């Protein structure tokens, strides 16, 4: 009679016939551990391959060692190298991440390859899928199109998108442009760096670090047809949970023999964390828009033409341009930023505001000359021409600033919203300067013009606050869109900044609004310069603080597109 097995034991089939001996489950697990692992199997395969007579001298064929990992030859016409990922083989071990980090001598926290997680399915049949990601070496790389210094190029033969470290000035604009969060900024070096598919290894027949280190051979280098990559992007055949491929036409191939559930989502899909604020850019945007707004509104409503107006316009503009250089990792090479003016909006913005600064200086000098009683008919015409030219170039500069962020494909930064924000900021901050300029104009106080400016200040401020509050409508969305996540950040982790933004913005409306209401109801409307200046100055300061808070939220609350990530800790 066979003995009954205890819980936690299994029957030993190897026992002699008629005998049944218990075998503990832990013993079987220990035996399983002693069997060769995928890592050991991979190492043994390489050790055996090393004994083969290959790649020893000129003309030797190194492809025998890596025949399953990299192509034998170079891509042909219309083709390029690309990563091919076997999702069925990826176990999420992150050996590829470690190898990439060590071979490229990356800094702590700097990663060129990452491993994310997709999950979905149902309670009865849950599904998870590990995903290893790196640069996709796109057919139409956004990083290359946006770089103002041509620090990227795409090899015409291999298709590899590489970063030219020596050319980079550390503006970090490519980190905004790439929808896959590929370029990484190194504060120590002051430049951006990224995966180049270990091109120096490929050139001598060696597999990239991530390919060679994967114990399951889940990553390899393949040759793809670029037109097929375009067609795949049009069909949105890329990877669940990844950004839309139509923007850059990525070439990475993700393959699987298992049908993935339609509800597969990144493990970090519902996570939203504040982004880096970029304070130099905050100051640059607010100050340059203030300068342009003061010049344009001063010419339109107050006639301009006095030293205060010209000096305020010039000072704020120059401060904003100077602040922008603090954002560069290598500011001594800032002169390179105009190189890519044909395709980069950042280059166009830099050229526009550089020319604006020159025209603003010339305009201020013309105003000073006219104030010194050396004005002539020719001088007046020159001053007017300089003011109009500076205003036109400044407005184009604000437009370029809007396009810089609109082309990044981030919903919170879409052109209509961003352009409205930037031009309204110019009005909110420029109108008070124009009003004070009118009060100190050569003809004294123009009451009707001052009342018009006060009304315009209130209208612009109220419109800007309404625009900023409109994002909260996204909270009603049933889908967890990027705009909804932005709204959740504004009412959650960034709620303190949101409260400050609306409180200071409201104060910037109320103070000049009270002056308007009090004086406009008088039987004989009149404005005392000291009262108006004090109220307008206090309102302008409140509005300025509010705009700084708004621009902080513009950067911190945006939800950047990225490849599927890991669950948040």
């Amino acid at each position: 009679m066979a003995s009954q097995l205890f819980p936690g034991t299994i029957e030993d089939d190897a026992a002699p016939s008629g005998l049944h001996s218990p075998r503990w489950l832990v013993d079987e697990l220990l035996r399983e551990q002693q069997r060769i692992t995928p890592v050991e199997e991979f190492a043994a395969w390489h050790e055996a391959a090393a004994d083969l007579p290959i790649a020893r001298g000129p003309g030797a064929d190194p492809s025998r060692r890596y025949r399953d990992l990299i192509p034998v030859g170079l891509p042909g016409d219309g083709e390029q190298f690309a990563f091919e990922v076997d999702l069925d083989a990826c176990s999420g071990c992150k050996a590829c991440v470690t190898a990439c980090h060590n071979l490229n001598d990356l800094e702590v926290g700097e990663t060129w390859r990452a491993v994310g997680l997709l999950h979905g399915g149902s309670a009865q049949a849950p599904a998870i899928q590990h995903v290893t990601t790196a640069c996709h070496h796109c057919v139409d790389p956004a990083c290359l199109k946006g770089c103002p210094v041509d620090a990227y190029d795409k090899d015409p033969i291999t298709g590899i998108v590489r970063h030219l470290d020596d050319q980079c000035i550390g503006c970090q604009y490519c980190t905004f442009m790439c929808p896959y969060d590929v370029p990484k900024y190194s504060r120590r070096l002051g430049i951006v760096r990224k995966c180049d598919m270990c091109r120096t290894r490929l050139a001598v027949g060696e597999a990239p670090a991530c390919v060679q280190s994967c114990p399951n051979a889940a990553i390899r280098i393949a040759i793809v047809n670029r037109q097929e990559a375009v067609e795949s992007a049009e069909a949105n055949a890329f990877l669940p949970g990844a950004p839309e491929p139509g923007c850059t036409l990525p070439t990475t191939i993700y393959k699987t023999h298992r049908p993935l559930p339609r509800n597969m989502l990144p493990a970090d899909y519902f996570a939203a964390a504040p982004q880096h604020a970029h304070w130099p850019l905050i100051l640059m945007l607010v100050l340059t828009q203030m300068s342009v707004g003061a010049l344009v509104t001063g010419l339109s409503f107050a006639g301009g033409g006095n030293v205060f107006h010209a000096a305020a316009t010039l000072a704020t503009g120059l401060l904003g341009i100077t602040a922008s250089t603090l954002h560069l990792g290598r500011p001594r090479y800032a002169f390179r930023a105009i190189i890519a003016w044909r395709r980069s909006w950042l280059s166009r913005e830099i050229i526009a505001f550089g020319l604006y600064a020159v025209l603003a200086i010339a305009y201020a000098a013309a105003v000073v000359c006219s104030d010194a009683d050396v004005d002539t008919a020719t001088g007046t015409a020159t001053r007017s021409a300089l003011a109009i030219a500076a205003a036109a170039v400044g407005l184009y500069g604000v437009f370029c600033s809007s396009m810089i962020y609109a082309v990044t494909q981030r919903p919170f930064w879409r052109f209509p919203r961003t352009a409205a924000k930037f031009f309204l900021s110019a009005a909110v901050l420029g109108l008070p300067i124009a009003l004070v300029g009118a009060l100190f104009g050569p003809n004294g106080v123009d009451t009707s013009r001052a009342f018009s400016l006060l009304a315009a200040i209130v209208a612009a401020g109220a419109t800007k606050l309404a625009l900023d509050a409109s994002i909260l409508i996204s909270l009603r969305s049933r889908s967890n869109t990027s705009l909804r996540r932005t709204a959740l950040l504004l009412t959650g982790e960034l709620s303190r900044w949101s409260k400050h933004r609306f409180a200071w913005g409201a104060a910037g409306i109320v103070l000049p609004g009270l002056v308007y209401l009090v004086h406009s109801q008088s039987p004989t409307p009149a404005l005392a310069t000291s009262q108006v200046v004090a109220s307008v100055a206090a309102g302008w300061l409140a509005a300025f603080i509010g705009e700084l808070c708004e621009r902080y939220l513009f950067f911190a609350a945006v939800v950047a597109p990225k490849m599927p990530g890991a669950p948040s800790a």
Side-chain angles (χ1 to χ4, degrees), residues 432-433 435-436 511-512 530-544:
I433 296 176
L435 175 56
V436 175
L511 290 173
S530 59
Q531 295 176 351
V532 175
V533 169
S535 299
V536 170
W540 172 87
L541 180 60
F544 179 71

Side-chain angles (χ1 to χ4, degrees), residues 264-287:
M264 292 289 273
L265 291 173
D268 60 347
Y269 179 72
F270 293 97
Q275 301 294 306
H276 182 55
H278 301 283
W279 273 105
L281 293 183
I282 292 173
L283 293 173
M284 175 266 174
L285 290 171
V286 172
L287 290 172

Side-chain angles (χ1 to χ4, degrees), residues 63-86:
S63 64
R64 294 181 60 187
R65 176 176 294 185
Y66 300 114
R67 60 187 180 276
D68 295 330
L69 301 176
I70 62 175
V72 175
L74 292 173
D77 292 339
E79 296 179 331
Q80 71 166 75
F81 286 144
F83 286 113
E84 181 179 285
V85 178
D86 185 354

Side-chain angles (χ1 to χ4, degrees), residues 210-355:
C210 57
V211 174
Q212 192 171 0
S213 65
C214 180
N216 298 325
I219 314 172
R220 63 183 295 267
I221 304 299
I223 293 179
V224 299
N225 184 283
R226 290 173 181 165
Q227 183 57 36
E228 292 179 0
V230 174
E231 294 170 356
S232 297
E234 291 178 350
N236 199 21
F238 185 42
L239 181 73
E244 295 288 336
C247 176
T248 63
L249 309 176
T251 61
T252 301
I253 301 171
Y254 289 99
K255 64 178 186 178
T256 178
H257 297 293
R258 300 173 299 176
L260 296 176
R262 291 189 299 173
N263 64 345
M264 292 289 273
L265 291 173
D268 60 347
Y269 179 72
F270 293 97
Q275 301 294 306
H276 182 55
H278 301 283
W279 273 105
L281 293 183
I282 292 173
L283 293 173
M284 175 266 174
L285 290 171
V286 172
L287 290 172
T288 53
Q289 289 159 22
M290 181 196 307
S291 176
V292 173
L295 180 59
V296 173
T297 57
L299 293 176
S300 303
F301 294 95
N306 62 75
V307 174
F308 172 82
H309 178 256
T313 297
L314 177 61
T316 52
L318 293 180
L319 282 174
I321 294 171
T322 302
S324 66
T325 62
L326 301 178
H327 185 253
L328 302 179
R330 301 202 296 175
R332 62 184 179 278
Y333 299 116
F335 62 89
R336 297 176 179 172
I338 63 174
I339 291 176
W341 64 271
R342 290 182 178 87
R343 66 166 181 267
S344 174
W345 283 105
L346 183 55
S347 289
R348 295 166 187 168
E349 180 202 46
I350 292 169
I351 293 173
F353 280 122
L355 180 57

Side-chain angles (χ1 to χ4, degrees), residues 241-525:
E244 295 288 336
C247 176
T248 63
L249 309 176
T251 61
T252 301
I253 301 171
Y254 289 99
K255 64 178 186 178
T256 178
H257 297 293
R258 300 173 299 176
L260 296 176
R262 291 189 299 173
N263 64 345
M264 292 289 273
L265 291 173
D268 60 347
Y269 179 72
F270 293 97
Q275 301 294 306
H276 182 55
H278 301 283
W279 273 105
L281 293 183
I282 292 173
L283 293 173
M284 175 266 174
L285 290 171
V286 172
L287 290 172
T288 53
Q289 289 159 22
M290 181 196 307
S291 176
V292 173
L295 180 59
V296 173
T297 57
L299 293 176
S300 303
F301 294 95
N306 62 75
V307 174
F308 172 82
H309 178 256
T313 297
L314 177 61
T316 52
L318 293 180
L319 282 174
I321 294 171
T322 302
S324 66
T325 62
L326 301 178
H327 185 253
L328 302 179
R330 301 202 296 175
R332 62 184 179 278
Y333 299 116
F335 62 89
R336 297 176 179 172
I338 63 174
I339 291 176
W341 64 271
R342 290 182 178 87
R343 66 166 181 267
S344 174
W345 283 105
L346 183 55
S347 289
R348 295 166 187 168
E349 180 202 46
I350 292 169
I351 293 173
F353 280 122
L355 180 57
Y356 172 77
V358 172
L359 292 172
I361 291 172
Y363 167 64
V367 171
V368 170
C369 289
S370 66
D371 195 60
D373 295 330
V374 293
D375 195 18
T376 63
T378 303
T380 301
T382 301
R383 184 182 66 222
S384 299
L386 288 171
I388 294 173
V393 173
L395 289 172
Y396 177 70
V398 176
F399 172 77
C400 291
S401 296
S402 305
M403 290 300 300
I404 284 173
Y405 302 98
V407 297
T408 63
Q409 306 298 318
R410 304 184 184 196
F412 187 50
W413 288 354
R414 284 175 180 158
F415 179 75
R417 181 187 299 273
T418 300
K421 280 178 175 286
F422 287 5
F423 282 103
L424 281 172
S425 291
V428 168
L429 298 177
L431 283 166
I433 296 176
L435 175 56
V436 175
L439 297 175
F440 288 104
N443 299 323
V445 178
D446 187 328
T447 302
S448 61
R449 187 174 293 171
F451 274 118
S452 298
L453 285 169
L454 281 171
I457 292 170
V458 174
T463 304
K464 182 66 186 299
L465 285 181
L467 175 64
D468 293 341
S470 65
I471 187 65
L472 301 180
I473 298 175
S474 301
L475 291 173
R476 301 172 59 184
S477 175
R478 293 185 178 181
S479 301
N480 193 43
T481 63
S482 62
L483 288 179
R484 185 175 186 274
R485 279 175 277 174
T486 292
L488 289 172
L489 281 173
L490 293 173
T491 57
E493 292 185 63
L494 299 173
S495 60
R496 178 176 297 181
W497 283 93
S498 298
K499 293 175 182 177
H500 280 293
R501 189 276 169 277
F502 287 104
W504 288 107
I509 299 172
V510 170
L511 290 173
L514 288 175
V515 174
Y516 180 85
L517 290 175
V518 169
H519 290 276
S520 64
Q521 299 301 320
S522 174
T524 56

